[in-house]
Amino acid sequence: MAQDNTAITVVLSEELDLVEPCMATRSNIGRVILQNISETLTELDVRGDKGLMPRLADSWEDKGDGTWQFKLHPGVTFSDGTTLDAADVKHSFDRVFSDQLTCESARYFADTALSFNIVDDTTIDITAVPAQPILPLLMSLVTIVPSETPMEFVRDPIGTGPYVMTEWTAGQQIVLDRREDYWGAQPEVSKATYLFRSEPAVRAGMVAAGEADIAPQITAEVADNTATDFSYLNSETVYLRVDGQDAPTSDIRIRQALNAAIDREAFIGTVLPTGTELAVAMVPPTTLGWNPDVAVPAYDPELAKKLIAEAQADGVDTSLPIEVVARTENFPNVTEVAEALVQMFNEVGFTATLRMVEVAEHEQYYSKPYPESEGTRLVLAQHDNSRGDPAFSMFFKYDSEGTQSGVNDPKVDDLIARASAATGDERAALWSELFAYVHDEIVADVLLFHMVGLSRVSERLDFTPTIATNQQLQLSEIGFK
């Protein structure tokens, strides 16, 4: 497939099951539509030091009592020709929180009630209860759709972005074409075709052969060309979500044993790239409130066996099955990682098995309500937080009401609520306390790795991947040499 002029081809590791704007914070969807088709009110600068930048909102102001006022950029149009106004913003959030949809971005607001007051066509007040000091940052997670968008998932997303989807052939390709009537600066890329290939070597080979221009998520084994291959911290954390309500993992000694059974160092430089860091929190070390005193659990299989024996002596049925559920193509070598984890669990006496599933089936186990099981399931997952604040992770991962939480602990709920409402040093201190409590005191999960990303980029492009590349691939950031 020859590349012509300013058209590019991107080859991704997994197909899209949805092209719905309110699901754009899910990485495989975000890489295609976030800031390309669908835009947000604000945007976080991950390439420089500008911090939070205007996107559809030109400015925002704290009016007090939990209310922020946003001023929209005038004259912005959607790809259907209609003009963006404050009613579109309100409708976008109505969809996110509708009981007729299960939108990915809703999880970031699960402990916060929002209300909206349309002041005029380009001015909207948003009030958060409890007050959210980082509400403008949270606005970088919700894509804005026209108020005519139905309360159901759409297959033809309409947005204000510089591109419009002109083709979606399920299982084969998605095509975006540049809008000539885009309200902002015209990007250099005129057309982007997205293909899907599960094998990293195939994706890397397509770029080398000129059949594609960008291949995210290749493996260290095939990243052998310094002219085209980029390595970068990608803000993803890999972990095993443990359900603390199910036996045998309802016993803390079993959760401690799971952690002690894993030789984390053995993965790095073998099935995971050199540079991968061991994790002690759901967020990377650059995040507010990072606690340097929390230590990685030592690899100690004898301790794991001892803890299992103690639990068994106290009546815990340690023979109950433990099923590890992992998502194919979630990250390079995910199958090898999952297989090794299961082997390590069985070596200390657990009855563990592995099930590899596609993304849609994985979601059934990853988000509530969780299916019933005999024994327990450990969900292997990858979580992205590149926005610098734990608020984007801790509620839905650990609060008793969190959609992807396996925890039900009043102290955790209280710390999350107080940290989310705090500012400055107090906010950092409360998050830090929560990191230590979750990891050391209740052993909520099995934290594994902060990941390094590897992508191959054609030499004809002027583009450097960033910490955000695993979540979005903004075409307007791509130029040509």
Side-chain angles (χ1 to χ4, degrees):
M1 184 182 302
Q3 301 300 314
D4 63 323
N5 301 322
T6 56
I8 70 167
T9 297
V10 181
V11 57
L12 302 176
S13 61
E14 59 184 344
E15 299 175 18
L16 273 65
D17 55 333
L18 292 168
V19 287
E20 164 59 48
C22 79
M23 297 292 285
T25 53
R26 201 171 82 187
S27 58
N28 64 335
I29 298 173
R31 287 194 205 98
V32 176
I33 74 172
L34 187 57
Q35 313 298 13
N36 294 328
I37 297 174
S38 302
E39 297 178 295
T40 51
L41 293 183
T42 62
E43 179 184 3
L44 184 65
D45 176 25
V46 297
R47 291 189 178 276
D49 56 3
K50 297 177 183 176
L52 196 62
M53 303 185 298
R55 188 82 185 199
L56 292 175
D58 282 341
S59 63
W60 46 92
E61 180 184 0
D62 186 355
K63 308 293 282 188
D65 296 328
T67 297
W68 289 78
Q69 184 169 88
F70 293 84
K71 294 281 190 180
L72 304 182
H73 189 85
V76 173
T77 58
F78 290 97
S79 59
D80 64 356
T82 59
T83 301
L84 168 74
D85 60 26
D88 298 315
V89 175
K90 180 180 184 302
H91 179 72
S92 300
F93 280 88
D94 287 345
R95 290 186 83 241
V96 164
F97 298 122
S98 169
D99 59 8
Q100 300 174 52
L101 295 171
T102 302
C103 288
E104 186 82 355
S105 46
R107 68 189 188 187
Y108 299 107
F109 301 89
D111 61 341
T112 304
L114 299 182
S115 59
F116 300 83
N117 176 39
I118 296 173
V119 179
D120 57 42
D121 283 351
T122 58
T123 308
I124 186 167
D125 291 347
I126 304 177
T127 300
V129 178
Q132 274 291 351
I134 61 166
L135 191 64
L137 184 59
L138 288 165
M139 292 298 111
S140 68
L141 296 166
V142 176
T143 53
I144 305 304
V145 297
S147 55
E148 294 79 11
T149 307
M151 289 292 184
E152 59 191 42
F153 280 161
V154 297
R155 291 180 58 83
D156 53 345
I158 303 298
T160 58
Y163 296 88
V164 60
M165 190 176 76
T166 53
E167 180 183 342
W168 179 21
T169 307
Q172 295 184 31
Q173 66 178 23
I174 288 174
V175 178
L176 306 189
D177 278 293
R178 185 174 61 196
R179 286 176 57 194
E180 299 307 317
D181 61 342
Y182 177 56
W183 64 275
Q186 281 288 313
E188 292 186 49
V189 173
S190 60
K191 177 179 181 178
T193 300
Y194 298 85
L195 305 176
F196 313 102
R197 302 288 186 270
S198 60
E199 289 297 322
V202 171
R203 296 196 298 277
M206 290 175 69
V207 176
E211 298 172 348
D213 294 288
I214 301 177
Q217 287 191 295
I218 62 174
T219 59
E221 291 87 346
V222 300
D224 56 3
N225 186 341
T226 56
T228 59
D229 300 339
F230 293 84
S231 172
Y232 47 93
L233 286 173
N234 67 5
S235 76
E236 297 276 7
T237 299
V238 171
Y239 75 113
L240 283 164
R241 201 274 310 289
V242 179
D243 194 335
Q245 318 308 307
D246 289 342
T249 47
S250 53
D251 191 290
I252 190 172
R253 291 167 294 190
I254 298 301
R255 303 196 295 275
Q256 291 169 329
L258 290 168
N259 274 281
I262 300 171
D263 183 1
R264 292 166 172 79
E265 296 278 4
F267 290 85
I268 300 174
T270 53
V271 292
L272 295 176
T274 300
T276 300
E277 298 180 4
L278 303 185
V280 293
M282 187 61 69
V283 295
T286 52
T287 309
L288 181 74
W290 175 259
N291 191 327
D293 298 326
V294 179
V296 175
Y299 171 50
D300 191 339
E302 295 307 314
L303 173 62
K305 293 175 184 177
K306 178 172 177 287
L307 289 165
I308 294 170
E310 289 178 358
Q312 187 177 32
D314 288 339
V316 177
D317 186 355
T318 59
S319 68
L320 286 170
I322 292 177
E323 182 180 50
V324 175
V325 178
R327 171 179 148 193
T328 57
E329 314 308 331
N330 195 14
F331 55 85
N333 288 337
V334 61
T335 302
E336 289 79 1
V337 169
E339 289 174 343
L341 290 171
V342 168
Q343 180 179 344
M344 291 174 184
F345 291 149
N346 287 330
E347 285 175 352
V348 299
F350 287 117
T351 306
T353 58
L354 172 64
R355 187 195 312 196
M356 299 297 301
V357 298
E358 300 294 329
V359 58
E361 186 177 358
H362 188 266
E363 184 64 22
Q364 297 176 20
Y365 300 106
Y366 197 25
S367 297
K368 293 178 178 176
Y370 305 135
E372 292 185 2
S373 67
E374 180 188 11
T376 192
R377 292 192 181 95
L378 308 181
V379 179
L380 183 65
Q382 183 174 237
H383 171 64
D384 175 89
N385 187 333
S386 60
R387 287 173 165 77
D389 194 287
F392 298 96
S393 306
M394 303 308 281
F395 181 87
F396 73 96
K397 295 295 186 187
Y398 292 115
D399 192 275
S400 58
E401 300 298 322
T403 54
Q404 294 174 352
S405 171
V407 177
N408 186 351
D409 186 291
K411 183 173 179 177
V412 171
D413 295 352
D414 176 64
L415 280 170
I416 290 172
R418 288 193 287 136
S420 298
T423 58
D425 292 344
E426 182 188 8
R427 186 180 184 91
L430 287 167
W431 285 131
S432 186
E433 181 181 351
L434 178 63
F435 289 145
Y437 182 70
V438 165
H439 188 271
D440 296 339
E441 300 299 324
I442 65 171
V443 194
D445 46 24
V446 179
L447 290 158
L448 294 171
F449 311 107
H450 298 308
M451 301 292 276
V452 169
L454 293 162
S455 294
R456 177 165 289 183
V457 179
S458 166
E459 291 186 79
R460 81 185 185 103
L461 299 189
D462 180 10
F463 175 69
T464 302
T466 72
I467 194 171
T469 300
N470 266 31
Q471 186 182 47
Q472 66 181 41
L473 191 53
Q474 197 166 161
L475 297 173
S476 62
E477 295 181 337
I478 299 172
F480 297 88
K481 296 177 179 175

